[in-house]
Amino acid sequence: MKGFEYLQEELDSMKAEGIFRSLVPLESDQGAKVVINGKEVIQLSSNNYLGLTTHPKMKQAAIEAVEKYGAGTGSVRTIAGTFSLHEEFEKKLAEFKHTEATLVLQSGFTANQAILSSILTKEDVVISDELNHASIIDGIRLTKAARKIYKHVDLKSLEEALKESGDYRKRLVVTDGVFSMDGNIAPLPEIVELCEKYDALVMVDDAHASGVLGRNGRGTVDHFDLNGRVHIQVGTLSKAIGVLGGYVASTQSVRDYLIHKGRPFLFSTSHPPAVTAACSAAIDVLLEEPELIDRLWENTKFFKKGLQNLGFDTGRSDTPVTPVVVGDEAKAHQLSDKLLEYGVFAQGIAFPTVAKGQARVRTIVTAEHTKEVLQEALDAFEKAGKELNII
Ligand code: PMP
């Protein structure tokens, strides 16, 4: 069909630059090893931190929910698509997170869009870390509030922004709990102190900390013992929780407000019963099997140290998100391609996901990897890294 030549031109120049990427379909379940193009390779690119995508209890819960409630819900939550399952899960999640209430949305992305676009008006200001996730950036684009961006995890820059914001009705400071491309943890205690000093609200996006940091994986707020001092926590059910969805954990009034004003909540159909039942079983798994989180962190230390010993630049990561920073975009993709050839699936990440000149291969180990498998992966990194003159 004619009409899209202008798009194809741009795609062709991306191909010429070596930065065009095809999707990589998995031919297996999402585990420590996956099948790609008929070949079994080590998975180092998923967010399946605890291996829950295939946890037997969660699969069983999903199967039972399908049998009992069917495959879909047939409506948005506010019309006919709220099942008792949804509300029971939200109560359980609130208890787990030590917050008054939670509201589950279709994804972490839409959770950020819903909260940011609904609770602020043009009388307010939102103050955001420059490296916050795209869903926060897009959420902010949807508000009529004034915006200020502070330098990455820079408390001086944050304080300046707070000082300049005295005239607004509400100041909302937003940060990722764990930054998704660098794996560093936000200095939340200091951020909270500044917000208390300047009477600002604090919001944390804990997508990469849920199931990873804090007691039983309760997230960065719990990790830093800040329960009750962070106004809004956004989490995802799509990463360590192993299924799909996002949530806002906050007060009952925030939940009620989102039900009335959160556009992604209002206008998009609710999660299928199997999704909610599996997420609910995941909370039980987090409470019953804390050893999964211990294993995740052991594997993280082993693998990160291994990469560093080989001479790779792993940036400022202090979590399982471990980037191998290469700089040049095409080179990052070459490294990723070579790794796949040597049996490791680790995706290259480039602009606009990270800044230009900061291209990388991002790795995430899971609780499911064995030391032997991780050593195999390190051997592949060594071979590929040397061939490409990265180390
Ligand atoms: N916030 C952060 C920090 C993320 O890394 C992601 C996932 N890419 C999201 C939000 C979106 O979560 P989801 O995949 O559930 O939409």
Side-chain angles (χ1 to χ4, degrees):
M1 189 188 284
K2 280 200 185 321
F4 298 113
E5 296 76 9
Y6 72 109
L7 299 182
Q8 195 53 49
E9 261 170 42
E10 192 177 332
L11 292 168
D12 289 343
S13 65
M14 285 165 73
K15 280 181 190 163
E17 276 179 70
I19 56 170
F20 177 88
R21 303 307 286 167
S22 302
L23 299 177
V24 183
L26 305 186
E27 296 149 18
S28 61
D29 63 19
Q30 183 67 278
K33 290 194 174 180
V34 291
V35 178
I36 294 173
N37 283 332
K39 185 175 142 193
E40 192 176 67
V41 294
I42 299 167
Q43 172 63 290
L44 283 182
S45 278
S46 84
N47 299 304
N48 183 25
Y49 290 101
L50 302 175
L52 298 196
T53 55
T54 53
H55 195 290
K57 280 189 189 155
M58 292 166 56
K59 284 173 33 172
Q60 190 55 36
I63 290 165
E64 283 170 18
V66 168
E67 295 290 356
K68 186 163 176 195
Y69 296 105
T73 63
S75 172
V76 297
R77 289 278 302 267
T78 46
I79 299 182
T82 294
F83 287 36
S84 52
L85 262 182
H86 295 127
E87 295 216 316
E88 280 156 20
F89 173 53
E90 285 166 337
K91 287 206 178 94
K92 185 170 174 176
L93 191 56
E95 211 169 284
F96 178 72
K97 292 289 290 180
H98 299 310
T99 57
E100 217 173 277
T102 66
L103 189 74
V104 172
L105 290 101
Q106 288 77 5
S107 67
F109 201 102
T110 54
N112 275 328
Q113 289 198 322
I115 186 79
L116 289 162
S117 65
S118 63
I119 65 165
L120 302 169
T121 72
K122 60 179 189 316
E123 293 173 75
D124 307 315
V125 60
V126 54
I127 304 173
S128 177
D129 186 292
E130 66 181 338
L131 292 192
N132 277 342
H133 189 255
S135 54
I136 294 179
I137 296 170
D138 285 9
I140 290 172
R141 285 182 181 146
L142 293 171
T143 81
K144 296 205 166 58
R147 305 125 203 227
K148 287 185 189 292
I149 309 298
Y150 65 94
K151 290 200 192 106
H152 182 51
V153 299
D154 184 328
L155 298 164
K156 268 202 191 129
S157 171
L158 170 59
E159 184 157 18
E160 267 163 39
L162 281 162
K163 273 188 192 154
E164 289 164 10
S165 305
D167 293 340
Y168 294 95
R169 178 186 67 169
K170 284 281 169 198
R171 291 159 291 278
L172 175 69
V173 173
V174 190
T175 181
D176 279 4
V178 170
F179 289 87
S180 55
M181 291 301 141
D182 290 293
N184 54 323
I185 304 175
L188 203 54
E190 292 81 2
I191 292 175
V192 166
E193 265 174 39
L194 277 178
C195 289
E196 287 173 351
K197 181 172 166 190
Y198 290 93
D199 190 25
L201 301 171
V202 195
M203 168 175 152
V204 177
D205 175 349
D206 243 355
H208 284 278
S210 313
V212 174
L213 283 172
R215 283 166 300 157
N216 300 86
R218 285 179 170 83
T220 39
V221 172
D222 190 79
H223 170 74
F224 285 120
D225 241 336
L226 294 168
N227 288 303
R229 292 173 69 191
V230 169
H231 300 84
I232 298 163
Q233 296 177 61
V234 167
T236 177
L237 303 164
S238 333
K239 299 186 194 292
I241 301 302
V243 196
L244 173 71
Y247 60 87
V248 175
S250 183
T251 62
Q252 185 64 40
S253 49
V254 168
R255 175 183 149 91
D256 290 344
Y257 197 80
L258 278 178
I259 289 173
H260 290 86
K261 308 269 187 177
R263 290 172 70 83
F265 182 84
L266 279 165
F267 296 113
S268 188
T269 295
S270 55
H271 275 169
V275 167
T276 306
C279 289
S280 180
I283 302 299
D284 299 337
V285 172
L286 289 181
L287 294 170
E288 288 160 11
E289 301 180 41
E291 63 275 13
L292 289 175
I293 300 178
D294 296 341
R295 223 177 296 146
L296 168 68
W297 281 95
E298 265 172 44
N299 284 347
T300 297
K301 276 184 206 137
F302 176 81
F303 191 66
K304 207 186 290 280
K305 189 128 208 59
L307 286 173
Q308 287 163 351
N309 288 345
L310 288 172
F312 285 107
D313 173 6
T314 58
R316 54 193 157 197
S317 164
D318 29 40
T319 68
V321 176
T322 305
V324 172
V325 182
V326 173
D328 179 64
E329 245 172 80
K331 197 143 202 173
H333 291 313
Q334 281 165 14
L335 176 60
S336 172
D337 291 343
K338 268 222 179 296
L339 285 167
L340 191 58
E341 208 182 296
Y342 299 146
V344 173
F345 181 45
Q347 281 274 31
I349 307 224
F351 181 79
T353 311
V354 293
K356 286 212 160 119
Q358 285 288 308
R360 62 200 56 196
V361 164
R362 189 185 64 157
T363 67
I364 297 180
V365 299
T366 74
E368 280 191 311
H369 289 110
T370 61
K371 291 271 157 44
E372 294 70 43
V373 162
L374 292 178
Q375 188 55 53
E376 254 179 70
L378 287 170
D379 293 345
F381 263 96
E382 181 174 16
K383 205 164 150 197
K386 283 185 174 156
E387 279 175 23
L388 293 169
N389 290 323
I390 297 168
I391 52 169

